[in-house]
Amino acid sequence: MTFQNLHRYALIFGIIFIFLLSYDAILAFFNDGKFGVGVGSIVLLINPILLGCYTFGCHSFRHLIGGGTDCLSCNKLRYHTWRKVSFLNERHMLFAWVSLFWVGFADVYVRLVSMGVITDLNTWGI
């Protein structure tokens, strides 16, 4: 294993983490089995979206989609996916900074709600 491949292995863990955060975000829309929307559930939903834009815009993911082929445009689905990933890749640093600050904001928001410092506005009436 070369040192350069570590980034590709980190990508796998990042994708798994995004799916876990997405699952948690979906659960945040339910309180005692009742569907509702709160500021906290929106905050937790935006979290994996921004992290996903950052992760799926990574050059390792872009290479995974479009690398290792002589004719990328011959496979329309692969080419279309590569173009979308390239769009994210062009904004990789922007998503890095925005997702970094959003993760911090989400953590502080959840902490303050759990401590009772602020109240989460929601449709459950809690």
Side-chain angles (χ1 to χ4, degrees):
M1 174 175 80
T2 63
F3 185 71
Q4 293 173 332
N5 288 335
L6 289 178
H7 197 79
R8 293 178 185 165
Y9 296 121
L11 174 68
I12 294 168
F13 290 113
I15 292 171
I16 291 169
F17 194 64
I18 288 169
F19 280 108
L20 291 173
L21 287 174
S22 298
Y23 178 73
D24 285 343
I26 292 168
L27 290 180
F29 285 93
F30 296 92
N31 186 14
D32 292 329
K34 186 175 153 187
F35 180 79
V37 179
V39 174
S41 51
I42 300 295
V43 167
L44 292 179
L45 179 66
I46 293 172
N47 205 19
I49 291 172
L50 290 175
L51 287 169
C53 289
Y54 169 68
T55 302
F56 295 123
C58 175
H59 66 277
S60 291
F61 189 73
R62 187 172 180 237
H63 177 74
L64 182 69
I65 298 299
T69 184
D70 290 331
C71 181
L72 182 61
S73 62
C74 294
N75 184 333
K76 299 297 180 194
L77 178 62
R78 190 173 186 179
Y79 178 71
H80 181 70
T81 306
W82 179 79
R83 294 277 298 162
K84 296 295 182 192
V85 171
S86 295
F87 174 82
L88 295 175
N89 183 259
E90 292 170 2
R91 292 150 184 85
H92 189 63
M93 187 56 65
L94 172 66
F95 286 121
W97 282 107
V98 173
S99 64
L100 174 73
F101 285 110
W102 194 266
V103 167
F105 169 71
D107 286 347
V108 169
Y109 185 83
V110 169
R111 175 75 174 171
L112 292 176
V113 170
S114 69
M115 292 172 56
V117 175
I118 60 174
T119 303
D120 182 41
L121 299 174
N122 57 60
T123 60
W124 296 289
I126 297 175

